[in-house]
Amino acid sequence: MSTLVLKRPDEVELIRESARIVAEALDLAGSLARPGMATAEIDRQVKAHIEERGGVPSFLGYHGYPASTCISVNEQVVHGIPNGRVLREGDIVGVDIGVYRKGYHGDAARTFAVGEVDPEARRLLRVTEEALLRGIEAIRPGGRLGLVSHAIQRHVEAEGFSVVRDLVGHGIGRKLHEDPQVPNFGPAEAGPVLRPGLVLAIEPMVNQGTWEVYTLEDRWTVVTKDGRLSAHFEHTVAVTENGPEILSRTA
């Protein structure tokens, strides 16, 4: 049975500080996601920004992960390792960033279009971000976590896409990954009751085709089983007495 770690208001503010740096770093990554840019260079510049702001990349060294960001291109779902791969016109690139500062983590992700992309790829990005926001809007104190999961799945599948089942969101705070797990699918009545002070990393991963995925030989990069595109959006969100509050924003 999961143990939910509720945060005091001062702890939520510290998570917000870390998550704000994540949002800044994602803005930077988006400006760099252009044809001719190597994913390793995006990682380098993001790491420098995080450190300039007094943070530490949450992912670097986490269970042996070798980079500061996860950068996943096209059919890569999540956990793509930055390297010499050069982005090309028409790619989509998901960037996932975590920041640790003053004892607390923030975590968020966005998927960017590289130059002009196929209309269906652009629709995938739009629907995935909408699904994230639908999930966040479903949060209410006293409600079940399943309301979030169900709202995400319903929106994605209504648009003809699929929700990855092998990977989920999570609680966040002093640890990068805390209870509860946050599935992006399932019945509305499932899961623990949401209470003020809970902080969640909500992160739908949405595929054009099948929801099935597998991991490459590098033991990190997760890709779609059918080779079609995948998108990923994530926010760090606090449950308050008045509903959800997105912490991973710059303002």
Side-chain angles (χ1 to χ4, degrees), residues 59 62-63 79 105 107 168-179 201 203 234:
F59 302 166
Y62 186 73
H63 295 300
H79 305 161
H105 294 273
D107 188 5
V168 296
H170 50 93
I172 189 168
R174 286 191 174 275
K175 297 179 180 178
L176 179 60
H177 294 103
E178 299 180 348
D179 288 333
E203 50 177 324
E234 176 183 18

Side-chain angles (χ1 to χ4, degrees), residues 13 26 29 67 93 162 165 172 210 224:
E13 288 306 308
L26 284 168
V93 55
S162 64
R165 277 135 167 95
I172 189 168
T210 178
T224 58

Side-chain angles (χ1 to χ4, degrees), residues 77-88:
V77 180
V78 286
H79 305 161
I81 301 171
N83 53 28
R85 180 172 183 167
V86 173
L87 298 178
R88 302 192 306 176

Side-chain angles (χ1 to χ4, degrees), residues 78-79 166-167 213-223:
V78 286
H79 305 161
D166 294 6
L167 301 154
V213 300
Y214 68 96
T215 303
L216 298 183
E217 290 182 0
D218 65 13
R219 298 188 299 177
W220 285 105
T221 309
V222 178
V223 300

Side-chain angles (χ1 to χ4, degrees), residues 8-193:
R8 302 184 309 269
D10 62 305
E11 292 179 295
V12 172
E13 288 306 308
L14 289 169
I15 297 171
R16 188 197 309 275
E17 290 180 15
S18 294
R20 183 179 293 124
I21 298 171
V22 173
E24 295 170 358
L26 284 168
D27 287 346
L28 172 61
S31 73
L32 297 170
R34 55 182 184 266
M37 177 63 70
T39 58
E41 178 60 16
I42 297 175
D43 183 77
R44 187 191 69 79
Q45 293 198 37
V46 165
K47 180 176 186 287
H49 176 80
I50 291 169
E51 291 173 344
E52 286 169 6
R53 294 282 278 113
V56 175
S58 298
F59 302 166
L60 184 60
Y62 186 73
H63 295 300
Y65 185 74
S68 298
T69 62
C70 297
I71 302 183
S72 307
V73 184
N74 295 336
E75 77 284 356
Q76 297 176 350
V77 180
V78 286
H79 305 161
I81 301 171
N83 53 28
R85 180 172 183 167
V86 173
L87 298 178
R88 302 192 306 176
E89 184 89 12
D91 286 341
I92 63 171
V93 55
V95 182
D96 191 357
I97 299 172
V99 167
Y100 181 74
R101 184 173 180 270
K102 295 183 179 179
Y104 292 86
H105 294 273
D107 188 5
R110 299 177 204 160
T111 303
F112 304 101
V114 180
E116 291 298 317
V117 303
D118 178 89
E120 273 299 288
R122 192 167 292 280
R123 191 170 77 86
L124 175 67
L125 269 58
R126 175 180 59 79
V127 169
T128 307
E129 186 170 20
E130 288 172 352
L132 170 59
L133 297 177
R134 296 287 181 95
I136 293 170
E137 289 166 1
I139 290 174
R140 64 171 186 267
R144 292 281 180 181
L145 180 60
L147 290 167
V148 176
S149 308
H150 186 67
I152 291 170
Q153 181 181 15
R154 183 173 56 195
H155 184 66
V156 168
E157 294 181 352
E159 293 286 345
F161 298 128
S162 64
V163 174
V164 173
R165 277 135 167 95
D166 294 6
L167 301 154
V168 296
H170 50 93
I172 189 168
R174 286 191 174 275
K175 297 179 180 178
L176 179 60
H177 294 103
E178 299 180 348
D179 288 333
Q181 292 191 343
V182 185
N184 296 302
F185 62 96
E189 62 273 14
V193 173

